[in-house]
Short mmCIF file of all heavy atoms in Angstrom, two decimals:
data_model
loop_
_atom_site.label_atom_id
_atom_site.label_comp_id
_atom_site.label_asym_id
_atom_site.label_seq_id
_atom_site.Cartn_x
_atom_site.Cartn_y
_atom_site.Cartn_z
N PRO A 68 24.72 7.38 -1.34
CA PRO A 68 25.14 7.47 0.05
C PRO A 68 24.96 8.89 0.59
O PRO A 68 25.12 9.83 -0.17
CB PRO A 68 26.62 7.09 0.02
CG PRO A 68 26.98 6.88 -1.40
CD PRO A 68 25.78 7.06 -2.26
N TYR A 70 22.80 6.16 2.57
CA TYR A 70 21.54 5.48 2.26
C TYR A 70 20.59 5.56 3.45
O TYR A 70 20.99 5.31 4.58
CB TYR A 70 21.80 4.01 1.92
CG TYR A 70 22.58 3.82 0.65
CD1 TYR A 70 23.88 3.34 0.68
CD2 TYR A 70 22.01 4.10 -0.59
CE1 TYR A 70 24.61 3.16 -0.49
CE2 TYR A 70 22.73 3.92 -1.76
CZ TYR A 70 24.02 3.45 -1.70
OH TYR A 70 24.73 3.27 -2.86
N LYS A 91 26.46 -2.06 11.63
CA LYS A 91 27.68 -2.62 11.02
C LYS A 91 27.34 -3.48 9.80
O LYS A 91 27.96 -3.36 8.75
CB LYS A 91 28.44 -3.44 12.07
CG LYS A 91 29.78 -3.95 11.60
CD LYS A 91 30.46 -4.75 12.71
CE LYS A 91 31.78 -5.32 12.26
NZ LYS A 91 31.67 -6.23 11.13
N SER A 92 26.31 -4.33 9.95
CA SER A 92 25.93 -5.23 8.85
C SER A 92 25.38 -4.48 7.65
O SER A 92 25.63 -4.87 6.51
CB SER A 92 24.90 -6.25 9.34
OG SER A 92 25.44 -7.01 10.39
N LEU A 93 24.62 -3.40 7.91
CA LEU A 93 24.11 -2.59 6.78
C LEU A 93 25.26 -1.91 6.03
O LEU A 93 25.25 -1.86 4.81
CB LEU A 93 23.12 -1.54 7.28
CG LEU A 93 21.70 -2.01 7.60
CD1 LEU A 93 20.89 -0.89 8.24
CD2 LEU A 93 20.99 -2.51 6.36
N MET A 94 26.25 -1.42 6.77
CA MET A 94 27.41 -0.78 6.12
C MET A 94 28.21 -1.80 5.33
O MET A 94 28.70 -1.51 4.24
CB MET A 94 28.28 -0.10 7.17
CG MET A 94 27.70 1.19 7.67
SD MET A 94 28.84 2.02 8.76
CE MET A 94 27.86 3.38 9.31
N ASP A 95 28.35 -3.02 5.88
CA ASP A 95 29.06 -4.08 5.15
C ASP A 95 28.31 -4.48 3.87
O ASP A 95 28.92 -4.82 2.86
CB ASP A 95 29.24 -5.32 6.04
CG ASP A 95 30.21 -5.07 7.18
OD1 ASP A 95 30.95 -4.06 7.13
OD2 ASP A 95 30.25 -5.89 8.12
N CYS A 96 26.99 -4.43 3.94
CA CYS A 96 26.17 -4.83 2.79
C CYS A 96 26.18 -3.77 1.69
O CYS A 96 26.28 -4.09 0.52
CB CYS A 96 24.74 -5.09 3.27
SG CYS A 96 23.60 -5.53 1.98
N LEU A 97 26.07 -2.50 2.09
CA LEU A 97 25.93 -1.42 1.10
C LEU A 97 27.24 -0.68 0.79
O LEU A 97 27.27 0.17 -0.09
CB LEU A 97 24.89 -0.41 1.59
CG LEU A 97 23.46 -0.95 1.72
CD1 LEU A 97 22.59 0.04 2.46
CD2 LEU A 97 22.88 -1.25 0.36
N TYR A 98 28.33 -0.98 1.52
CA TYR A 98 29.64 -0.34 1.31
C TYR A 98 29.56 1.18 1.39
O TYR A 98 30.22 1.88 0.63
CB TYR A 98 30.24 -0.73 -0.05
CG TYR A 98 30.38 -2.19 -0.29
CD1 TYR A 98 29.69 -2.79 -1.34
CD2 TYR A 98 31.19 -2.98 0.51
CE1 TYR A 98 29.81 -4.15 -1.58
CE2 TYR A 98 31.31 -4.34 0.28
CZ TYR A 98 30.62 -4.92 -0.76
OH TYR A 98 30.73 -6.26 -0.98
N ALA A 99 28.72 1.70 2.29
CA ALA A 99 28.59 3.15 2.43
C ALA A 99 27.97 3.49 3.77
O ALA A 99 27.52 2.61 4.49
CB ALA A 99 27.72 3.70 1.30
N LYS A 100 27.92 4.80 4.06
CA LYS A 100 27.29 5.25 5.30
C LYS A 100 25.79 5.00 5.20
O LYS A 100 25.19 5.19 4.13
CB LYS A 100 27.55 6.74 5.50
CG LYS A 100 27.08 7.26 6.85
CD LYS A 100 27.48 8.73 7.02
CE LYS A 100 27.17 9.21 8.42
NZ LYS A 100 25.78 9.44 8.68
N VAL A 101 25.19 4.58 6.32
CA VAL A 101 23.78 4.21 6.33
C VAL A 101 23.08 4.97 7.45
O VAL A 101 23.61 5.11 8.55
CB VAL A 101 23.62 2.68 6.54
CG1 VAL A 101 22.18 2.30 6.71
CG2 VAL A 101 24.24 1.93 5.39
N VAL A 190 21.06 -7.52 -0.35
CA VAL A 190 20.32 -6.44 -1.00
C VAL A 190 19.75 -6.96 -2.32
O VAL A 190 20.37 -7.76 -3.01
CB VAL A 190 21.19 -5.18 -1.20
CG1 VAL A 190 22.25 -5.39 -2.27
CG2 VAL A 190 20.36 -3.96 -1.53
N GLN A 197 25.85 1.01 -8.64
CA GLN A 197 25.56 1.88 -7.51
C GLN A 197 26.66 1.74 -6.45
O GLN A 197 26.96 2.66 -5.73
CB GLN A 197 24.20 1.50 -6.89
CG GLN A 197 23.60 2.56 -6.01
CD GLN A 197 22.87 3.61 -6.79
OE1 GLN A 197 22.27 3.34 -7.81
NE2 GLN A 197 22.93 4.84 -6.34
N PHE A 198 27.24 0.54 -6.38
CA PHE A 198 28.35 0.30 -5.46
C PHE A 198 29.65 0.60 -6.19
O PHE A 198 29.87 0.11 -7.29
CB PHE A 198 28.39 -1.14 -4.99
CG PHE A 198 27.09 -1.65 -4.44
CD1 PHE A 198 26.41 -2.69 -5.03
CD2 PHE A 198 26.54 -1.07 -3.30
CE1 PHE A 198 25.23 -3.15 -4.52
CE2 PHE A 198 25.36 -1.53 -2.78
CZ PHE A 198 24.71 -2.57 -3.38
N GLY A 199 30.52 1.33 -5.57
CA GLY A 199 31.81 1.50 -6.22
C GLY A 199 32.16 2.89 -6.45
O GLY A 199 32.54 3.76 -5.96
#
Side-chain angles (χ1 to χ4, degrees):
Y70 294 110
K91 186 179 178 300
S92 300
L93 281 173
M94 284 186 186
D95 291 346
C96 178
L97 296 169
Y98 305 118
K100 187 175 187 286
V101 174
V190 71
Q197 198 82 34
F198 308 117

